[in-house]
Structure formats: structure tokens, C-alpha cells
Amino acid sequence: MSSDETKRPVVGTFGWTDLTVPDATKVRDFYTDVVGWSFEGLSMGDYEDYVMKAADGSAVAGVCHARGSNAGLPAAWLVYVYVANLDRSLERVRAHGGRVLHGPRDVGNGRMAVIEDPAGAAMALFEQT
């Protein structure tokens, strides 16, 4: 197995959590005070989103402005689950009565889409490229 293969995420596991809201700065400050997170700015061009960090400095979540490519995402904690093939997973979402709410689109080192299951719960699917 190559070193690249050992670094690939396990399909079906949770990989990240984001919250997208109209005023990410206000919500960033809320979670900094309430749960003790610190933050690091993440440049989005003309504004910053935030990587929230635990006491040990590890990144635990993102708090994002509902702007640009994040416009239209639901204001809820959104979990990201790794999938092997995003296009195939989106086909399966539709075949099983779900909906694609946002995307697919390229992000960082992969592609993502936000889906809704038949019960109305949202999550993001992420394929690492």
C-alpha cells in the first residue's frame, strides 16, 4: 500500500462539521465564550470564515458566513461523511427519495454536496480527490 493510500479517509466515517450562518463572527464569539473554543481565520477572499479549535489547538469545526459558495446552506451544524464516489452517491440519494440541496462543488482537496434524506435531515457528502 502506498503512503497516499494510507492517508485516505475511511469511507462512511465523519470527517468534519461546519455551521454556516449569516453572521459567522457573532456565532464564532458565542462558541468561543460558551464552549471555550479558540479560532483561526480562514481567508475567503474579501472576508474570513473560522476554524474553531479545542483547548489542545486541534481543529474541531468550521463556522462560516452564508456568502459566496456557502450561500443557501442550511443554518444547522452540518456533518460531512466521506464517500468513495460522490456522483454515484448523489444518484443513490435521488433513487432512495432524498434530495441534493447544494452542489456538487469542488472544495479544498475534494468535492462535496449537501443532501437531504427522506426524513428531511441534511448532511454533506465529501469525496477526497
Side-chain angles (χ1 to χ4, degrees), residues 33-107:
D33 193 42
V34 171
V35 301
W37 286 340
S38 61
F39 66 90
E40 181 177 321
L42 177 65
S43 177
M44 301 302 289
D46 59 344
Y47 65 95
E48 280 190 330
D49 284 341
Y50 305 101
V51 175
M52 306 307 290
K53 297 185 171 192
D56 68 357
S58 62
V60 294
V63 174
C64 308
H65 292 280
R67 298 182 197 165
S69 60
N70 287 335
L73 289 178
W77 283 104
L78 190 62
V79 296
Y80 287 68
V81 174
Y82 292 114
V83 296
N85 182 308
L86 183 60
D87 293 328
R88 183 180 188 293
S89 291
L90 296 178
E91 289 173 12
R92 303 311 307 152
V93 164
R94 292 178 186 103
H96 288 285
R99 296 186 314 142
V100 177
L101 301 177
H102 186 83
R105 66 179 168 102
D106 294 335
V107 293

Side-chain angles (χ1 to χ4, degrees), residues 2-25:
S2 74
S3 62
D4 286 341
E5 290 173 315
T6 60
K7 294 180 184 178
R8 295 203 58 87
V10 177
V11 170
T13 62
F14 292 102
W16 189 248
T17 304
D18 268 341
L19 176 62
T20 300
V21 294
D23 187 349
T25 304

